[in-house]
Amino acid sequence: MSTSASHPLAGRLLLNNLALAVADLPRVIDWYQRVLGFVVEERGHFEPVAADFAMLVGAGVRLELVASRRAILREVDRTPPPRHLQVLGWKALVLQCDDLAALGEHLRAEGVELLWEAQPLNESRSSTLLRDPEGNLINIFGPRR
């Protein structure tokens, strides 16, 4: 049995970014900047897949938004919680915030689709769950008040 410290890739692999395929790249870039405070770090086009991309940074992560020019698009699975856990795959971008009440005010002012707000998870943590403009889940943890 191998431990992570003895694995040949231990310390060699690092997270570069999370990639999210989107239909409307300018609209989604604007939303992540305006609503969550992300900043565009880099933009480009990757010809082998005929896709434009934008690399955004914020909340301690790099988020790559990718839009294919040739794609036949399929909508994101919008199965609502708790049944969303019955669909395999990545569930949500999970962030954290020190003030979910202030975050909720900001999100409501921006017209963001909230699935729940400041929902208690345990004695010390709460969760606000929302969707980006293309239906992807974003879960934001914060302290329970």
Side-chain angles (χ1 to χ4, degrees), residues 25-114:
L25 187 59
R27 177 177 175 232
V28 178
I29 289 171
D30 174 70
W31 189 90
Y32 276 88
Q33 289 178 310
R34 183 174 38 80
V35 174
L36 298 181
F38 280 67
V39 175
V40 175
E41 178 184 68
E42 173 182 355
R43 290 187 76 143
H45 177 77
F46 189 57
E47 190 51 43
V49 295
D52 296 320
F53 70 90
M55 193 71 69
L56 281 65
V57 293
V61 298
R62 289 175 43 155
L63 181 63
E64 180 182 7
L65 303 176
V66 183
S68 175
R69 294 179 181 173
R70 297 189 290 229
I72 299 171
L73 300 176
R74 292 180 11 207
E75 294 291 324
V76 70
D77 185 311
R78 293 182 64 97
T79 302
R83 292 181 309 138
H84 73 300
L85 298 177
Q86 296 169 357
V87 179
L88 298 178
W90 300 105
K91 294 293 107 190
L93 172 63
V94 182
L95 306 173
Q96 67 182 32
C97 173
D98 62 0
D99 188 344
L100 286 181
L103 173 73
E105 289 177 26
H106 169 69
L107 296 174
R108 285 189 304 282
E110 291 289 342
V112 172
E113 179 185 351
L114 295 172

Side-chain angles (χ1 to χ4, degrees), residues 12-14 21-22 38 50 58 62 71 74 100 111 113 115 120 130:
R12 299 173 82 189
L13 293 177
L14 300 172
V22 302
F38 280 67
R62 289 175 43 155
R74 292 180 11 207
L100 286 181
E113 179 185 351
L115 285 89
L130 57 126

